Amino acid sequence: MTNLNPIYNSEELLARAKKVIPNGVYGHQNVAMMNPGVPQFFQKAEGCRLWDVTGKEYIDYLCGYGTNMLGYNYPLVEEAVNQQRKDCDCMTGPSPKMVELAELLVNTVTHCDWAFFAKNGTDATTICVTTARAATRKKKVLAAKVAYHGADPWCTPIPAGVTPEDRAHMIYYKYNDIASFDKAVEQAGDDLAGVIVSAFKHDVFMDQEIPTREFAQHVRKVCDDTGAAMILDEVRAGFRVSLDVSWAKFVGVQPDLSAWCKAIANGHPISFVLGCEKFKTAASQIYSTGSYWFAASPMAAAITTIKEIQRLNLPVMLEKNGMMLRQGLDELAGKYGYELKQTGPAAIPMLLFNKDAIRKKGNFFCTEMLKNGVYFHPWHNMFLSAAHTEDVIVQTLQAADESFAAMQKAGV
Amino acid sequence: MTNLNPIYNSEELLARAKKVIPNGVYGHQNVAMMNPGVPQFFQKAEGCRLWDVTGKEYIDYLCGYGTNMLGYNYPLVEEAVNQQRKDCDCMTGPSPKMVELAELLVNTVTHCDWAFFAKNGTDATTICVTTARAATRKKKVLAAKVAYHGADPWCTPIPAGVTPEDRAHMIYYKYNDIASFDKAVEQAGDDLAGVIVSAFKHDVFMDQEIPTREFAQHVRKVCDDTGAAMILDEVRAGFRVSLDVSWAKFVGVQPDLSAWCKAIANGHPISFVLGCEKFKTAASQIYSTGSYWFAASPMAAAITTIKEIQRLNLPVMLEKNGMMLRQGLDELAGKYGYELKQTGPAAIPMLLFNKDAIRKKGNFFCTEMLKNGVYFHPWHNMFLSAAHTEDVIVQTLQAADESFAAMQKAGV
């Protein structure tokens, strides 16, 4: 580990932040719900590594909560952005990069006949829902209970400032539960516009679940039978488990619309909606736009990132290294008498402890991991990148060995 | 003018775009509603100038629909972004730049005690509305008829895919009309959460209007009396007419919450909500976030852009050069027997022709201006940047002279 010079005292910087920013840091990057000592502000990022403002180095298993898939500051992507910025970026109209990116996506993702670019994952899921309603002229949208589809009033997980009408047409089902899904469909009656479903179940605090083939095929059939749009929320999974939609790998099912963000441009700001021909007219009728949505440099970043993901066949590499991490952690846990619950795709791991209702074990373990230079999350899924090589996994497992030993010694 | 080599045939590129993107280009940057010949895709931007894909050069009076205020590719801002990207950009947590930017805003904008950063103007207006509802535990929000506050279901100007419930708690008033405003307040009864109001009236196809002091003070008083949040939508005007909120200049009134985007980081993607202390607790209770919202390089761009706007006292420069353009255009119009309606702040001009209900004159004039190397918009407000110097205005007026002459010759 190569620590850097401290540029701030952590507590002082957070105190300054709390004076001028709600909660100091808001949203998913606020660490207040984790144990004290989790770093809040960072000064440097490179490959799989982060340095906090005190100069301490960490192997980062959050990867920008998924935005970084090739490794931070990946030269090929940064060079594409630099080249693009020399010519143009955010203008009065798009550059040809928008057409090139859309064509690349049409050639890459099976169900995709067209692409619509935005900035947030929430933009993408919202555009999918609006397109579904415009296409069907119906209103009801089904979503899994507690599934995260973004932070707009119709979907934000914390309802402060949200009115009941914002969700008047949302009906909730249980992920992977056909009976619960059918009940929601029945409730929608003849007003079913669409179904939104996560690539896999990745809710905070609980085990992840891969979709069952039976469930996925049932969702597809109901949408085919009713004309409702099948919307796949790929924001967290997209291109991390497959070079196509993740359901192509998991269950062999293609959606009508899919929402993407995070991994697609290695941290450069872009999200997209992909759709099949059937929904193109509706996507042409809705109005959605944003000040920076046509900027060229994130599109150049996306083109380079997607081609590099393809060249490296990155989903396979992430799965392999993720399985090495998972098996290593299981062995170490067993050595010290602990039992882990490691769920979801190996590239997007969730790490919980068995018999740990108040997360005492998970919090203790993650705090020890931080001390040993590894940033693990005690209750949110994590992400691997191309920079999490075998060497890095070995180093991570050494840190885990020490962390389990400290847990055992402390009697946690 | 220095034309560049063509990199695409315009029609061919648009045909390719239409195959893989809804409408070819969607949202505000689609030029389909303007006359044929308006350039859709660009290959280069520098200062106040754009080059389309055929290599033709234009003086651009859209300025990225407002995102560019210092001139495209402004060296000081680009250098700040480059420096920041060397260290870090989009990570698992924010960099100290977030705190520095919030502190700069608190020190710059009178009503601002805290800042909340996002990516789209729509994010900012939506966060304001949600914060108002969370603070007051009331639901009704007043907005001016046809005013543009973004593209989410609660506000998008085209209602395809929108349900009645998305706007169940919106009540509409007429801008600058106290009687109409009071009627909306009465309709809200004891359920008034907030009032959203544009910095000035800037609706497409019609004359712009500066707020009257009487109207603004009345809005402020109603909000004070009822506890409702006064929300100023500064997305289009912010920092272009004042170094404070625009209502500080126009009418001497401060809002509770304000929504900003466009000019604040010279094209780098960031938006923000600014608020007074009274609404900080509510802003801490709502949940809003996005994958790229904590990225450091747009924050570095914003800090440099705002300091440069202050150093140059840019609102004064834009007003001066905008008035030179306005007066010059009026004189030329008179010389050829036309009468213009030039409304709104000189830095954000709207140019319509008198007695031009179907916009025949406006469209003809703008098409001629394009031929003469100037990109004017026939029905959307335009924007000046620091790169629109006196020399550029002189060149623009020469193009206008030729364009009016062609109009007169054609008998339009």
Side-chain angles (χ1 to χ4, degrees):
Chain A
M1 295 210 298
T2 315
N3 290 341
L4 297 174
N5 289 330
I7 59 168
Y8 283 103
N9 172 301
S10 271
E11 290 72 27
E12 283 172 21
L13 185 61
L14 185 59
R16 276 172 57 189
K18 284 184 175 175
K19 277 191 190 164
V20 293
I21 297 169
N23 295 321
V25 175
Y26 44 83
H28 66 294
Q29 295 205 346
N30 180 319
V31 300
M33 281 175 69
M34 290 195 271
N35 266 7
V38 176
Q40 178 65 84
F41 293 96
F42 297 93
Q43 59 168 298
K44 187 171 167 63
E46 192 77 37
C48 65
R49 289 165 204 277
L50 284 177
W51 287 260
D52 71 16
V53 290
T54 72
K56 190 165 176 356
E57 178 185 329
Y58 306 92
I59 299 172
D60 172 32
Y61 278 90
L62 274 300
C63 289
Y65 282 81
T67 55
N68 161 36
M69 179 158 159
L70 291 167
Y72 290 119
N73 210 5
Y74 193 75
L76 208 65
V77 175
E78 298 312 305
E79 182 55 25
V81 169
N82 290 341
Q83 283 302 322
Q84 183 58 55
R85 284 174 58 220
K86 276 184 199 165
D87 288 335
C88 57
D89 193 4
C90 182
M91 301 181 286
T92 294
S95 87
K97 280 286 185 295
M98 187 161 91
V99 185
E100 293 167 26
L101 175 56
E103 288 173 340
L104 173 63
L105 290 164
V106 167
N107 290 331
T108 298
V109 175
T110 304
H111 85 98
C112 171
D113 294 315
W114 52 266
F116 195 120
F117 304 107
K119 277 282 166 274
N120 304 317
T122 307
D123 299 336
T125 55
T126 302
I127 290 167
C128 286
V129 166
T130 308
T131 301
R133 286 180 174 146
T136 58
R137 295 168 188 261
K138 296 179 178 180
K139 297 188 293 295
K140 303 296 178 194
V141 172
L142 275 47
K145 287 170 193 164
V146 310
Y148 184 76
H149 295 300
D152 259 4
W154 71 270
C155 56
T156 184
I158 296 177
V162 171
T163 72
E165 287 75 11
D166 289 319
R167 295 166 186 208
H169 298 298
M170 297 302 298
I171 303 174
Y172 301 96
Y173 63 88
K174 196 176 160 198
Y175 199 93
N176 263 345
D177 183 326
I178 291 178
S180 149
F181 182 80
D182 282 346
K183 208 174 148 190
V185 172
E186 198 185 324
Q187 207 181 321
D190 58 3
D191 199 22
L192 183 62
V195 173
I196 186 164
V197 58
S198 301
F200 62 96
K201 185 174 187 293
H202 48 58
D203 307 330
V204 286
F205 302 125
M206 58 188 87
D207 292 336
Q208 302 191 127
E209 275 179 48
I210 305 294
T212 65
R213 194 167 287 263
E214 197 187 1
F215 175 73
Q217 287 175 346
H218 185 72
V219 171
R220 180 68 271 176
K221 185 173 187 311
V222 167
C223 289
D224 287 340
D225 290 349
T226 59
M230 201 201 114
I231 303 165
L232 194 60
D233 182 343
E234 284 279 1
V235 169
R236 218 170 288 192
F239 291 140
R240 266 201 163 77
V241 298
S242 166
L243 300 176
D244 196 345
V245 289
S246 56
W247 277 28
K249 179 187 169 182
F250 289 147
V251 289
V253 167
Q254 291 284 335
D256 297 310
L257 303 169
S258 53
W260 303 63
C261 191
K262 294 198 183 276
I264 58 182
N266 215 45
H268 293 275
I270 188 166
S271 66
F272 36 76
V273 172
L274 307 184
C276 64
E277 196 59 38
K278 185 181 164 193
F279 287 87
K280 193 176 179 190
T281 302
S284 306
Q285 289 163 344
I286 69 158
Y287 188 85
S288 194
T289 196
S291 295
Y292 311 113
W293 290 15
F294 306 95
S297 76
M299 294 181 184
I303 291 169
T304 305
T305 299
I306 293 166
K307 287 183 176 170
E308 195 66 357
I309 289 171
Q310 291 171 324
R311 187 184 71 80
L312 298 169
N313 198 357
L314 207 47
V316 169
M317 186 200 294
L318 297 188
E319 168 83 10
K320 180 170 159 285
N321 292 342
M323 282 310 295
M324 179 183 167
L325 175 68
R326 182 168 293 191
Q327 287 163 1
L329 288 170
D330 266 338
E331 281 166 27
L332 288 168
K335 171 178 159 188
Y336 290 97
Y338 296 102
E339 206 176 317
L340 300 178
K341 300 191 293 175
Q342 299 192 80
T343 54
I348 312 174
M350 179 70 133
L351 176 69
L352 299 172
F353 280 75
N354 212 359
K355 297 178 187 163
D356 191 31
I358 57 165
R359 284 186 298 281
K360 196 176 163 189
K361 292 191 184 84
N363 279 321
F364 191 99
F365 178 72
C366 289
T367 298
E368 287 301 310
M369 287 296 274
L370 275 175
K371 287 182 195 164
N372 294 315
V374 178
Y375 191 165
F376 265 19
H377 202 295
W379 47 262
H380 190 289
N381 68 251
M382 302 185 284
F383 299 90
L384 267 72
S385 79
H388 292 78
T389 56
E390 286 186 22
D391 283 359
V392 170
I393 306 290
V394 167
Q395 198 182 336
T396 303
L397 292 172
Q398 284 164 352
D401 198 345
E402 292 171 41
S403 301
F404 281 123
M407 267 180 90
Q408 193 186 50
K409 195 175 167 192
V412 175
Chain B
M1 292 209 301
T2 315
N3 290 343
L4 297 175
N5 289 330
I7 58 168
Y8 283 102
N9 172 300
S10 272
E11 290 73 25
E12 283 172 18
L13 185 62
L14 185 59
R16 276 172 57 189
K18 283 183 175 174
K19 277 191 190 164
V20 292
I21 298 169
N23 295 321
V25 175
Y26 44 84
H28 65 293
Q29 295 205 345
N30 180 320
V31 301
M33 282 175 68
M34 289 195 272
N35 266 7
V38 176
Q40 180 63 85
F41 294 97
F42 298 93
Q43 60 168 296
K44 188 172 167 61
E46 192 77 36
C48 66
R49 289 165 204 277
L50 284 178
W51 287 261
D52 71 16
V53 289
T54 72
K56 189 164 175 5
E57 178 185 329
Y58 306 92
I59 299 172
D60 173 32
Y61 278 90
L62 274 301
C63 290
Y65 282 80
T67 55
N68 162 34
M69 178 157 162
L70 290 167
Y72 291 119
N73 210 4
Y74 194 75
L76 208 64
V77 175
E78 299 310 306
E79 181 55 24
V81 169
N82 291 340
Q83 282 302 321
Q84 184 58 56
R85 283 174 58 220
K86 276 184 199 165
D87 288 335
C88 58
D89 193 3
C90 182
M91 302 181 285
T92 295
S95 87
K97 280 286 184 295
M98 186 161 92
V99 185
E100 293 167 26
L101 176 55
E103 288 173 341
L104 173 63
L105 289 164
V106 167
N107 290 331
T108 299
V109 175
T110 304
H111 84 97
C112 172
D113 294 315
W114 52 266
F116 195 122
F117 304 107
K119 276 283 166 275
N120 304 317
T122 306
D123 299 334
T125 55
T126 302
I127 290 167
C128 286
V129 166
T130 307
T131 301
R133 286 179 174 147
T136 58
R137 294 167 187 263
K138 297 178 178 179
K139 296 189 293 293
K140 302 297 177 194
V141 172
L142 274 47
K145 287 170 194 166
V146 310
Y148 183 76
H149 295 300
D152 259 4
W154 71 269
C155 55
T156 185
I158 296 179
V162 171
T163 72
E165 287 75 11
D166 289 320
R167 296 165 186 209
H169 299 298
M170 298 301 299
I171 302 174
Y172 301 97
Y173 62 88
K174 196 175 159 199
Y175 199 93
N176 263 343
D177 183 326
I178 291 178
S180 148
F181 183 81
D182 282 345
K183 208 173 148 191
V185 172
E186 198 185 325
Q187 206 182 321
D190 58 4
D191 198 22
L192 182 62
V195 173
I196 187 165
V197 57
S198 300
F200 62 97
K201 187 175 187 293
H202 47 60
D203 308 330
V204 286
F205 303 122
M206 58 187 89
D207 292 335
Q208 303 191 125
E209 274 180 47
I210 304 295
T212 66
R213 192 167 290 262
E214 198 187 2
F215 174 73
Q217 287 174 345
H218 185 72
V219 171
R220 180 67 271 177
K221 184 172 185 314
V222 167
C223 290
D224 288 339
D225 290 349
T226 60
M230 202 201 112
I231 303 164
L232 194 61
D233 182 345
E234 284 279 1
V235 168
R236 218 170 289 193
F239 291 141
R240 264 201 165 78
V241 298
S242 167
L243 300 176
D244 197 345
V245 290
S246 57
W247 277 26
K249 179 187 169 183
F250 289 146
V251 288
V253 168
Q254 291 284 334
D256 296 310
L257 302 169
S258 53
W260 303 64
C261 193
K262 293 198 184 277
I264 59 182
N266 214 47
H268 294 275
I270 190 166
S271 67
F272 36 76
V273 172
L274 307 184
C276 65
E277 197 58 38
K278 185 181 165 193
F279 287 87
K280 192 176 178 191
T281 302
S284 306
Q285 289 163 343
I286 70 159
Y287 189 85
S288 195
T289 195
S291 294
Y292 311 111
W293 289 15
F294 306 94
S297 76
M299 294 182 185
I303 291 170
T304 304
T305 300
I306 294 167
K307 286 183 178 172
E308 195 66 357
I309 290 170
Q310 291 171 325
R311 186 185 71 81
L312 298 169
N313 199 357
L314 206 48
V316 169
M317 186 200 294
L318 298 189
E319 168 82 12
K320 181 170 156 285
N321 292 343
M323 283 309 296
M324 179 184 167
L325 175 68
R326 182 167 294 190
Q327 286 162 2
L329 288 170
D330 266 337
E331 281 167 26
L332 288 168
K335 171 177 157 188
Y336 290 98
Y338 296 102
E339 204 177 318
L340 300 178
K341 302 191 291 173
Q342 299 193 79
T343 53
I348 313 173
M350 179 70 134
L351 176 69
L352 298 172
F353 280 74
N354 213 359
K355 297 178 188 163
D356 191 30
I358 57 166
R359 284 186 297 281
K360 195 177 165 188
K361 293 192 183 84
N363 280 321
F364 191 99
F365 179 72
C366 288
T367 297
E368 288 301 312
M369 286 296 274
L370 274 176
K371 289 182 195 164
N372 293 315
V374 178
Y375 191 166
F376 265 19
H377 202 295
W379 47 262
H380 190 288
N381 68 251
M382 301 185 284
F383 299 90
L384 267 72
S385 78
H388 292 78
T389 56
E390 286 186 23
D391 283 0
V392 171
I393 307 289
V394 167
Q395 198 181 336
T396 303
L397 293 173
Q398 284 165 352
D401 198 345
E402 292 170 40
S403 301
F404 281 123
M407 269 179 88
Q408 193 186 50
K409 195 175 168 192
V412 175

